[in-house]
Amino acid sequence: PAGSIYQFLYSNLGESTTYYFAAKAFDEEGNVSPISNVASVSTSAIPIAIRGVNVLNIRQTTADISWGTQVNATTQIEYGLTVAYGQRTNEETQLTTYHLKSLQNLTPNTAYHFRVISKERFGREEKSQDLTFTTLPAITNVSVSFFRQTTARIYWATHVYATSQLEYGTTAAYGTQTRIDTILNLDHYIDLEDLNPNTTYH
C-alpha cells in the first residue's frame, strides 16, 4: 500500500565491511518502480578480548603461556624482570583463537613480568594486564647411592633454599611421588624404599 514502510534484516555480514543497497517496488499489477538511490552502511569491527591467560609447565629456564581470544588473532608475549619488559617473542602470524607460546633461556628462581599480545586481521592489537610467574630453582649435582637391593638415596643441590620431593617410576611417566619435605635446604636427599631388585628406575 502507498505510504508503507518495509524493513529487512540481514545477518552474518562481515565485520569492518561496507555494504551497498538499492530497492525496487512492485505493485499488485506487477508494475516495477525505477531502482532507488544507492545507500551504504558499514559494519563495525569486533573488538579483541584476551581471556584465560595461564602459565604452564614452569621449569628452571622455561615456561609456557597460553590464552584465548574470541576472534582469530596473532600470538606474541612481552616479558622481563620489570613492568618495562624489554624482551618480546617472535610474533606468530597464523591467526587463531587459542594461543600457546614458550619462553626460553630464563634465569632459575627468578620472578618475571609478562603480558600477552594478540592482533586481529585488521591490525587492531590488544594487550593483557601485567602478570607474573617465578621460575624454579636450578637443580644440580644429582647422584644416587644404593644401600640395598630395594633402597636408594637420591642426592641433589639447589642454589637457593628450597623444598625436596621426588617423582619416580619404571618409565619416564614416573607415576609415584614422595611426600614434600617442606624444610628449606641447599643440599637435598630423599630415600626411596620398597623398590624392585634388578629394575631400572627413572
Side-chain angles (χ1 to χ4, degrees):
S4 298
I5 297 175
Y6 297 92
Q7 294 182 346
F8 298 90
L9 175 64
Y10 294 89
S11 58
N12 299 318
L13 301 179
E15 59 177 309
S16 295
T17 303
T18 299
Y19 290 88
Y20 298 88
F21 300 89
K24 290 182 178 180
F26 297 80
D27 64 16
E28 295 178 349
E29 298 178 358
N31 298 311
V32 182
S33 72
I35 192 168
S36 70
N37 294 331
V38 176
S40 65
V41 62
S42 296
T43 57
S44 61
I46 301 173
I48 301 177
I50 291 175
R51 54 198 177 194
V53 181
N54 289 304
V55 184
L56 311 170
N57 305 319
I58 300 175
R59 299 293 188 225
Q60 289 92 351
T61 61
T62 62
D64 297 332
I65 313 294
S66 70
W67 69 97
T69 51
Q70 95 287 11
V71 296
N72 289 320
T74 60
T75 302
Q76 193 172 33
I77 301 173
E78 285 185 307
Y79 65 101
L81 302 182
T82 70
V83 293
Y85 307 113
Q87 299 185 74
R88 182 179 284 212
T89 65
N90 292 332
E91 183 182 41
E92 299 290 342
T93 57
Q94 181 176 352
L95 303 181
T96 180
T97 58
Y98 175 74
H99 308 267
L100 178 64
K101 193 75 174 175
S102 181
L103 302 181
Q104 305 287 333
N105 301 318
L106 305 176
T107 302
N109 195 49
T110 301
Y112 281 87
H113 292 260
F114 76 96
R115 63 183 176 185
V116 303
I117 305 169
S118 285
K119 185 187 299 179
E120 50 89 79
R121 63 191 179 98
F122 297 106
R124 291 174 299 127
E125 181 180 271
E126 184 68 23
K127 298 178 180 180
S128 72
Q129 64 181 358
D130 178 70
L131 298 163
T132 62
F133 67 90
T134 300
T135 52
L136 299 182
I139 295 174
T140 59
N141 301 326
V142 179
S143 63
V144 182
S145 294
F146 294 96
F147 295 134
R148 295 185 298 275
Q149 294 169 318
T150 60
T151 304
R153 175 170 287 183
I154 315 297
Y155 299 89
W156 71 96
T158 53
H159 74 291
V160 294
Y161 286 93
T163 62
S164 304
Q165 188 181 30
L166 287 176
E167 288 185 304
Y168 66 99
T170 56
T171 71
Y174 308 116
T176 304
Q177 289 183 335
T178 64
R179 182 176 298 177
I180 297 177
D181 182 351
T182 58
I183 298 175
L184 303 181
N185 286 302
L186 295 174
D187 297 310
H188 310 258
Y189 74 86
I190 288 180
D191 291 334
L192 300 180
E193 299 179 339
D194 299 323
L195 303 176
N196 295 320
N198 195 37
T199 300
T200 298
Y201 281 88
H202 294 254

